[in-house]
């Protein structure tokens, strides 16, 4: 039996095509907000019900749609933004396919109320599954309101593929925050089930970032990289980091894009500053000739293709790296536990107005004004959201490490932490992390000097060479890095099949078993990777092994020596894995913790 | 509670009188074998047991066992274990010349009576105490205690602290005829000491064992003029060494494994020989070490034209330069060493003058006392710009 081939009825075809563009409520929210922005809105208000599945309302104060064009707005490939194919190469507006509203209309119940400024009244168009049900005069201030209900009601398969209400909700809110970050001059509000989850004032990027990232935004580092490929934005300081990459927003020519290479470029700039598995957040904006970007890769315009991606990568990496080098790394005081979970401390700084946080299941998005509550959520959330350091108290001004000099040791606790005193207050030191960073910096500095002066790096020669069996593949992989390792003070050479001979090690690692060290170096060698990254990785591993263990007893002279070296170590606030080396308990924090009035 | 598979008697009613000061000094040595963080409560205890000649106190962490015999008047034989630290602190606080110790067999309570004071300490039944390594044989050889003490100090310093390579955390003891050799190395330096041994058994004594350096340190600590000789015995299984002193016995597990062939790294010749006052060099090296405090910041030696110059510099602090009068034979040379290694070697040698045998900047150097070949220290240089 044969099934005749038929042309699909237009509504079916539209519903299928719509799924390509609007695959989830967040996509609809994004498309509607982009339309609002393209209409020149200065305020965009988003209201979500059940993560957008029940209802999405996007209202703006933009140009509006004349009543006679409303029907066109829900027709496919109708757009006010392109007239010729040639315009495609110069796309600077956000939406252009003319598909968005039509696609949404094809799979939902849509009411558009719009009034262009200067017109007497507003018009309302009501369509369901693409079919116009009503078109009449209405009342509204200038601007457009699009209300989308029952999204995907006629495509049950799509409905079935949606994730939990909570995850749809956070995706939708994220879409709005992304747009707020890319259009900081526009004020955004977003409500989810009647809770206000985002309110960006519409002004500077820093204010918008504060609204999006929460109170730690005050410590974001400004990125400035002018040029043909201009890079700007705000990125998190190394002590703040997140468990996922979703907090890092990449913007190209004001469009939020997903480009893995540029995310990596930003993360590369943090090499050696963040703990393994943790990620920076913030917004990085690239401005370049539109001809260098192909945005017409994917219907949702999520992905873009870059010509000369390498140059863009380098520009981003360099701009972020420079920003991090210059930044005053904050030595914010730790948040001392508030026992009893009482009211937020009265003496504390003003709570930020609003924070965007993803809540636990059942409570899609919540406003979390209280640190303890947030900590509980974080735990329930499996640590996916913000890290503790995300919310270091903003009022504790940043210090430079050098500000802590002279750092005088007072004692070592039984667990091994050092207690020290500095002009800025009491300081707790992780001796392992501190020593690790000192050695790491010394290894790299000595290597740099050796390269500059064209000589071998300082190294402790071995009385008895160590012959390490690493297998043929191991010899191959190590050989590629022999030069890098020599720059760190290792002297390695192939020594017969599957064997490597080690005849010298960095002086700082002289007390270690070279055989084991060489094996660990091999294990930690990333597959591929550029030479500087490999070098940092190998230096970090060597430093980690050579550093004093937490718990080892240090006599007072050793403690003093360690602290003296730490305060002059560049980037000494974090170990090579990004963990803090010191915690400053300044007088203010301590007074607060003890419930004494702060002076 | 763990029951050790031993057939020890459960008869524990002990009663004796003993001098608190004698007991206290023995306890302070024996307690060194108590492991501070043992998961087994009885290992925090010291075993008290009566013998014909007095009261034996023993502590063990299973790797190291130290026991001492304290003169006591035994009124009733028995055994008990009590918390080592507690007992040591308590006994040290007693002023009286004698005290009586007795155990309640039922409660395992140790009652100490001294003058008008009566104190009860909770004990643990001695059957819980692990079986101790038994010395099956008489000592194979004997050495002068003071000489051994010095030999341990001279070599143990060169042993490695890195537990990843167990053999290097030990000191090699090699006996051949009437010569005992102690060797230690951490891969960058090597210390070798030879001393005379008096063979006590029939036939040829020859063998090599590796003893944890830390355990030898406890032996060195126990040596004083009242214990003039040290006997050395091995278990039949060759996994334990026993050091017997007048009133003490210290036994240690041996480290298994192959020790590096140390003889091949001792250079037979040198290109430069420097002889100078040890005191002067040591003093100067200490000063230089102030600036060369970190491993990556070595002391540089420049030998030539009748002097040895010590240089040290530190980017943050400054530099140091000290020319010392010296007798230099051979090529002029500049070589750098980890300051710690140089200091340790100089502090370990006897005599007035030190002899440095250098072999250029990349080959091992030898430090010894001029005219003495019982001790030497080989140091590998640091390669510097």
């Amino acid at each position: 039996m044969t099934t005749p081939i038929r042309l699909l009825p237009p509504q079916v075809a539209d519903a299928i095509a719509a799924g390509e563009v609007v695959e989830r409520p967040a996509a609809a929210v994004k498309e509607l907000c982009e339309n609002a922005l393209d209409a020149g809105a200065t305020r965009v208000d988003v209201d979500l019900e059940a993560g957008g599945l029940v209802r999405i309302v996007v209202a703006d104060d933009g140009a509006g749609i004349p009543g006679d064009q409303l029907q066109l707005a829900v027709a496919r490939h109708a757009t006010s933004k392109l007239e010729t194919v040639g315009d495609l190469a110069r796309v600077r507006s956000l939406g252009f396919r003319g598909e968005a509203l039509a696609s949404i209309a094809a799979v939902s119940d849509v009411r558009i109320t719009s009034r262009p400024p200067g017109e007497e009244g507003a018009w309302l168009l009501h369509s369901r599954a693409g079919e116009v049900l009503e078109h009449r005069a209405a009342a509204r201030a200038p601007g457009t309101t699009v209300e989308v209900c029952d999204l995907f009601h006629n495509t049950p398969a799509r409905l079935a593929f949606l994730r939990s209400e909570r995850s749809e909700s956070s995706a939708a809110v994220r879409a709005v925050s992304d747009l707020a970050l890319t259009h900081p001059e526009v004020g955004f509000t977003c409500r989810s089930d009647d809770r206000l989850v985002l309110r960006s004032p519409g002004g500077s990027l820093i204010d918008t970032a504060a609204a999006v990232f929460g109170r730690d935004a005050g410590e974001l580092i400004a990125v400035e990289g002018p040029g043909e490929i201009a890079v700007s934005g705000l990125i998190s300081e190394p002590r703040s980091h997140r468990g996922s990459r979703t907090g890092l927003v990449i913007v190209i020519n004001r469009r939020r894009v997903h480009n893995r290479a540029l995310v990596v470029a930003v993360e590369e700039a943090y090499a050696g500053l963040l703990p393994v598995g943790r990620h920076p957040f913030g917004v990085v904006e690239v401005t370049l000739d539109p001809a260098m970007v192909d945005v017409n890769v994917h219907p949702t315009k999520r992905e873009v293709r870059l010509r000369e991606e390498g140059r863009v990568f380098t520009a981003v990496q360099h701009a972020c790296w420079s920003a991090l080098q210059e930044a005053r790394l904050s030595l914010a005081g730790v948040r001392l536990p508030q026992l009893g979970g009482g009211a937020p401390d009265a003496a504390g700084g003003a709570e930020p107005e609003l924070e965007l946080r993803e809540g636990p299941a059942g409570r899609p998005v919540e406003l979390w004004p209280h640190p303890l509550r947030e900590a509980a959520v974080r735990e329930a959330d499996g640590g996916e959201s913000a890290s503790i350091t995300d919310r270091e108290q903003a009022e504790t001004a940043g210090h430079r490490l050098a500000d802590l000099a002279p750092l005088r040791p007072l004692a070592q606790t039984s667990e091994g932490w050092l207690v020290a005193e500095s002009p800025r207050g009491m300081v707790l030191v992780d001796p392992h992390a501190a020593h690790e960073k000192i050695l790491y910096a010394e290894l790299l500095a000595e290597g740099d000097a050796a390269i500059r002066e064209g000589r071998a790096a300082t190294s402790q020669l071995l009385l008895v060479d160590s012959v390490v069996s690493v297998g043929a593949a191991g010899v191959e992989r190590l050989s590629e890095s022999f030069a890098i390792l020599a720059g760190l003070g290792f002297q390695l050479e192939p020594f017969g099949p599957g064997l490597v001979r080690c005849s010298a090690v960095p002086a700082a690692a002289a007390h270690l078993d070279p055989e084991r060290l060489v094996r660990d170096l091999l294990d930690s060698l990333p597959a591929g990777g550029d030479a500087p990254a490999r070098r940092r990785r190998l230096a970090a591993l060597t430093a980690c092994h050579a550093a004093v263990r937490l718990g080892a007893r240090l006599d007072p002279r050793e403690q003093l020596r360690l602290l003296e070296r730490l305060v002059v170590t560049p980037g000494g606030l974090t170990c090579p894995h990004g963990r803090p080396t010191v915690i400053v308990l300044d007088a203010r924090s301590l007074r607060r913790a003890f419930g004494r009035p702060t002076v | 509670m763990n029951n050790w598979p031993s057939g020890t008697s459960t008869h524990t009613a002990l009663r004796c009188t003993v001098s608190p000061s004698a007991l206290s000094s023995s306890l302070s040595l024996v307690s060194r074998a108590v492991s501070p963080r043992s998961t087994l409560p009885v290992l925090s205890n010291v075993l008290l047991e009566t013998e014909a000649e007095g009261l034996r106190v023993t502590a063990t962490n299973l790797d190291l066992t130290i026991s001492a015999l304290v003169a006591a008047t035994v009124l009733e034989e028995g055994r008990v274990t009590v918390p080592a630290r507690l007992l040591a602190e308590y006994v040290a606080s007693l002023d009286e010349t004698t005290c009586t110790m007795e155990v309640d067999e039922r409660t395992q309570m140790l009652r100490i009576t001294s003058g008008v004071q009566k104190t009860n300490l909770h004990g643990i039944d001695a059957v819980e105490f692990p079986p101790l390594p038994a010395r099956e044989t008489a000592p194979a050889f004997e050495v002068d205690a003071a000489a051994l003490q010095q030999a341990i100090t001279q070599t143990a310093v060169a042993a490695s602290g890195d537990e990843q390579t167990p053999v290097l955390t030990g000191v090699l003891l090699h006996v051949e005829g009437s010569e005992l050799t102690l060797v230690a190395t951490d891969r960058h330096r090597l210390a070798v000491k030879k001393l005379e041994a008096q063979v006590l058994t029939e036939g040829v004594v020859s063998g090599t064992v590796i003893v944890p350096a830390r355990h030898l340190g406890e032996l060195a600590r126990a040596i004083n003029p009242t214990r003039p000789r040290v006997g050395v015995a091995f278990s039949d299984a060759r996994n334990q060494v026993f050091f017997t002193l007048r009133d003490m016995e210290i036994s240690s597990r041996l480290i298994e494994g192959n020790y590096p062939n140390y003889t091949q790294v001792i250079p037979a010749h040198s290109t430069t020989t420097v002889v100078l006052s040890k005191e002067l060099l040591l003093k100067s090296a200490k000063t230089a070490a102030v600036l060369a405090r970190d491993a990556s910041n070595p002391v540089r030696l420049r030998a030539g034209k009748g002097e040895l110059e010590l240089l040290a510099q530190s980017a943050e602090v400054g530099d140091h330069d000290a020319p010392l009068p010296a007798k230099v034979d051979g090529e002029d040379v500049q070589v750098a060493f980890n300051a710690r290694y140089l200091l340790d070697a100089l502090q370990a040698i006897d005599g007035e003058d030190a002899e440095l045998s250098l072999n250029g900047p990349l080959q091992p150097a030898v430090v010894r006392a001029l005219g003495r070949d019982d001790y030497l220290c080989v140091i590998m240089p640091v390669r510097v710009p």
Side-chain angles (χ1 to χ4, degrees):
Chain A
M1 196 179 91
T2 55
T3 308
I5 296 174
R6 283 188 301 252
L7 267 178
L8 285 171
Q11 273 142 337
V12 177
D14 284 355
I16 292 171
E20 291 170 17
V21 180
V22 184
E23 80 248 308
R24 58 193 297 198
V29 170
K30 174 174 168 286
E31 295 291 350
L32 295 174
C33 289
E34 287 185 343
N35 281 345
L37 292 170
D38 287 341
T42 63
R43 292 200 49 85
V44 179
D45 298 311
V46 181
D47 211 331
L48 303 169
E49 243 175 74
L53 286 165
V54 170
R55 185 163 164 267
I56 302 169
V57 180
V58 175
D60 67 54
D61 60 355
I65 309 164
D68 54 351
Q69 289 176 26
L70 272 179
Q71 277 192 319
L72 268 179
V74 295
R76 285 184 72 78
H77 301 295
T79 181
S80 58
K81 297 158 195 167
L82 283 179
E83 280 171 17
T84 68
V85 172
D87 285 348
L88 264 178
R90 290 183 298 279
V91 170
R92 282 193 192 262
S93 59
L94 295 173
F96 60 88
R97 285 164 169 262
E99 283 178 78
L101 205 43
S103 300
I104 296 166
V107 291
S108 66
D109 186 298
V110 175
R111 280 185 180 82
I112 310 172
T113 315
S114 189
R115 171 179 162 195
E119 296 270 323
E120 283 295 307
W123 281 85
L124 177 142
L125 181 97
H126 179 196
S127 83
R128 189 168 176 86
E131 221 171 301
V132 176
L133 303 178
E134 198 180 354
H135 186 191
R136 59 171 169 85
R140 194 205 185 281
T144 307
T145 303
V146 183
E147 180 180 359
V148 177
C149 297
D150 301 336
L151 194 59
F152 305 130
H153 69 92
N154 55 347
T155 51
R158 170 67 58 191
L159 212 49
F161 273 95
L162 291 179
R163 280 178 254 168
S164 69
E165 190 179 302
R166 175 198 160 211
S167 112
E168 291 305 332
S169 171
S170 45
V173 175
R174 200 178 299 137
V176 179
S177 349
D178 284 356
L179 286 166
L181 287 173
T182 49
H183 296 79
E185 73 284 358
V186 178
F188 277 86
T189 62
C190 182
R191 288 171 189 281
S192 179
D193 294 330
D194 281 335
R195 263 190 298 261
L196 185 59
V197 291
L198 172 73
R199 180 160 70 204
S200 78
S204 66
L205 179 59
I206 190 107
D207 291 338
T208 308
V212 171
F213 294 114
R215 59 150 88 176
D216 49 338
E219 296 162 26
L220 290 171
I221 296 166
V223 178
E224 288 296 339
E228 198 189 335
I229 300 169
V231 183
S232 61
L234 292 167
I235 53 175
S236 53
E237 60 154 358
R239 287 167 65 99
S240 300
H241 36 72
R242 300 214 162 147
S244 76
R245 293 195 169 88
T246 51
L248 184 61
V249 177
I250 303 283
V251 181
I252 295 182
N253 288 346
R254 309 208 69 193
R255 180 189 301 278
R256 197 271 197 257
V257 298
H258 293 263
N259 183 299
R260 170 122 180 97
L262 296 189
V263 171
V264 171
V266 177
E267 295 205 335
E268 279 275 288
Y270 284 84
L273 294 174
L274 295 186
V276 175
R278 304 295 299 182
H279 306 278
F281 58 90
V283 50
V284 174
E285 192 161 0
V286 183
T287 312
L288 37 61
D289 181 355
M292 287 174 71
V293 196
D294 182 0
V295 292
N296 201 10
V297 179
H298 190 268
T300 62
K301 306 175 205 111
R302 278 167 57 90
E303 286 164 30
V304 293
R305 201 171 287 148
L306 290 169
R307 287 175 204 126
E308 302 189 61
E309 189 171 84
R311 273 182 67 200
V312 183
F313 184 96
T314 310
V316 168
Q317 187 189 22
H318 185 259
C320 293
W321 186 83
S322 310
L324 286 167
Q325 296 306 305
E326 285 164 20
R328 283 171 72 94
L329 294 179
S330 149
L331 271 181
V334 282
R335 186 167 55 250
L336 298 164
Q338 294 164 352
L339 297 175
D345 40 340
E351 291 288 344
E353 257 197 285
L354 293 165
E355 288 164 309
L356 173 64
R357 295 286 180 223
E358 296 180 20
R363 283 189 287 183
V365 182
E366 248 275 45
L367 191 62
W368 300 104
H370 195 271
L372 284 179
R373 200 137 51 102
E374 199 222 11
V377 171
R378 192 163 53 238
E379 226 167 76
D381 227 6
E384 245 300 294
S385 58
S387 75
I388 295 170
T389 52
D390 279 359
R391 305 185 26 120
E392 306 256 350
Q393 285 154 340
E395 74 269 22
T396 311
H399 305 295
R400 285 176 194 278
L401 188 56
D403 294 344
L404 298 183
L407 195 51
R408 200 166 56 86
L410 299 176
Q412 186 174 23
T413 71
S414 58
E415 240 191 307
W417 313 109
L418 297 184
V419 183
E421 194 166 41
S422 84
R424 295 298 171 105
M426 188 169 132
V427 181
L428 298 175
V429 182
D430 177 340
H432 172 72
H435 196 203
E436 193 177 6
K437 189 54 171 266
I438 292 167
L439 296 178
Y440 174 75
E442 284 179 356
L443 281 170
L444 292 181
E446 166 63 13
D448 289 342
I451 292 167
R452 213 167 38 239
E453 295 159 24
R455 59 168 170 88
T458 303
S459 56
Q460 171 67 57
L461 303 170
L462 288 162
L463 209 45
V464 186
D465 292 345
S466 239
V467 175
V468 191
S469 165
V470 292
V475 175
E476 270 311 297
R477 283 184 57 205
L478 266 180
S479 315
E480 288 168 18
S481 297
F482 275 172
I484 293 173
L485 287 163
L488 298 175
F490 288 94
Q491 194 171 313
L492 295 168
E493 58 196 331
F495 191 69
L499 299 176
V500 165
R501 180 166 70 183
C502 175
S503 49
V505 293
H511 57 288
L512 301 176
D513 175 8
E515 189 176 328
R516 191 179 132 91
L517 187 55
V518 168
R519 277 187 218 284
D520 287 348
L521 288 170
L522 176 63
D523 288 344
S524 81
L525 260 181
D530 60 345
R534 263 186 294 160
R535 177 165 176 261
R536 287 192 298 266
R537 176 80 77 93
L538 295 172
L541 181 104
T542 308
C544 181
H545 280 28
V548 58
R549 304 280 117 195
L550 177 65
R553 307 318 295 176
L554 299 175
D555 74 33
R557 279 178 320 169
E558 290 174 308
Q559 296 176 13
L560 180 64
R561 184 73 195 122
L562 185 73
L563 300 184
E564 282 174 355
R565 290 165 77 188
L566 179 65
V567 291
V568 296
T569 299
L573 287 176
T574 56
C575 81
H577 309 101
R579 288 191 295 269
T581 55
V582 294
I583 287 172
V584 181
L585 299 171
D586 57 276
R588 200 182 150 85
S589 310
L590 280 178
R591 282 189 158 268
R592 283 233 321 270
F594 282 114
R596 288 186 168 272
T598 46
V599 271
Chain B
M1 187 59 64
N2 198 339
N3 278 301
W4 297 90
S6 67
T8 35
S9 144
T10 55
H11 178 73
T12 52
L14 168 154
R15 201 146 68 89
C16 67
T17 61
V18 64
S19 147
S21 71
L23 180 58
S24 176
S25 65
S26 292
L27 279 172
S28 70
L29 291 172
V30 167
S31 305
R32 305 281 304 182
V34 173
S35 47
R37 279 179 298 270
S38 175
T39 51
L40 209 58
V42 76
L43 289 185
S44 308
N45 283 14
V46 62
L47 173 69
L48 306 176
E49 53 188 340
T50 54
E51 284 187 4
E53 312 88 61
L55 179 70
R56 180 165 291 278
V57 290
T58 306
T60 183
N61 61 19
L62 305 177
D63 282 343
L64 171 71
T65 304
I66 307 179
S67 79
L69 188 66
V70 185
T73 311
V74 178
L75 307 171
E76 197 172 334
E77 287 179 11
R79 315 166 77 222
V80 73
T81 78
V82 285
R85 252 208 16 224
L86 201 61
L87 181 66
E89 281 175 18
Y90 178 70
V91 172
S93 74
L94 294 177
D95 299 328
E96 282 72 12
T97 51
T98 174
C99 68
T100 306
M101 307 175 82
E102 52 195 321
V103 172
D104 182 317
E105 197 173 357
R106 193 178 53 80
T107 61
Q108 294 296 318
M109 190 76 89
L110 173 69
R111 164 174 292 203
I112 305 171
T113 317
S114 177
V116 293
Q117 302 182 57
K118 286 192 182 67
T119 302
N120 292 313
L121 295 179
H122 283 285
I124 297 178
D125 194 325
V127 292
E128 306 282 355
F129 206 73
L132 300 171
R135 176 164 63 86
E136 298 104 340
T137 54
F141 62 92
E142 204 177 65
V143 289
D144 177 70
L148 181 61
Q149 188 180 39
Q150 188 199 21
I152 291 170
T153 316
Q154 286 173 319
T155 50
V157 69
S160 166
D162 176 24
E163 300 289 341
Q164 301 294 341
T165 327
V167 289
L168 297 189
T169 63
V171 174
L172 181 85
L173 265 57
H174 174 70
V175 63
E176 190 74 64
S178 62
E179 188 176 71
L180 173 66
T181 309
L182 278 74
V183 182
T185 180
D186 62 4
R187 298 186 193 86
H188 308 294
R189 54 176 165 171
L190 168 81
V192 182
K193 169 74 175 186
K194 291 182 194 307
L195 66 161
E196 199 189 321
Q198 189 187 342
V199 179
L200 300 176
T201 52
E202 298 283 313
V204 183
V205 174
S206 166
T208 303
V209 294
I210 307 168
V211 186
R214 206 171 56 76
H215 295 178
L216 286 179
E218 299 303 340
L219 169 61
R221 183 187 292 270
I223 290 171
N224 65 27
T226 71
R227 305 183 177 110
R229 305 290 291 172
V230 178
V232 183
F234 301 97
S235 65
D236 287 346
R238 283 262 163 179
N239 57 8
Q240 285 280 339
V241 62
F242 300 85
F243 299 101
T244 59
L245 296 89
R246 177 182 53 81
D247 56 339
M248 290 184 72
E249 184 170 287
I250 296 175
S251 71
S252 164
R253 107 191 124 78
L254 296 174
I255 298 174
E256 287 175 33
N258 293 321
Y259 205 79
N261 181 356
Y262 69 92
T263 51
Q264 70 179 21
V265 304
I266 303 172
H269 308 283
S270 67
T271 53
T272 312
T273 312
V274 183
V275 175
L276 76 171
S277 152
K278 186 192 80 176
E279 279 313 310
L280 217 52
L281 178 57
L282 188 57
K283 203 166 145 244
S284 186
K286 276 181 182 164
T287 315
V290 173
L291 289 179
R293 276 182 294 193
D294 308 318
S296 46
N297 194 4
V299 173
R300 290 151 204 248
L301 271 59
R302 193 189 291 153
K305 298 189 192 66
E307 54 180 38
L308 179 74
E309 201 176 354
L310 260 75
L311 302 120
Q313 55 191 11
S314 151
E316 315 121 57
V317 193
D319 52 47
H320 168 80
D321 181 353
L324 305 171
K327 182 170 164 294
V328 180
D329 288 326
E331 301 164 11
D332 288 1
V333 66
Q334 183 170 338
V335 57
F337 298 109
N338 180 322
R340 181 81 258 146
Y341 298 168
L342 187 63
L343 277 179
D344 286 344
L346 290 171
Q347 273 161 348
I349 59 175
D350 291 319
E352 296 217 333
D353 287 332
E355 182 187 80
L356 313 182
S357 309
L358 308 175
N359 289 288
L362 302 177
Q363 297 299 319
V366 178
V367 180
R368 55 160 77 84
L370 180 65
R372 295 276 295 266
D373 54 9
D374 59 327
Y375 176 70
L376 61 84
C377 194
V378 183
I379 310 179
M380 203 63 186
V382 173
R383 186 180 57 199
V384 291

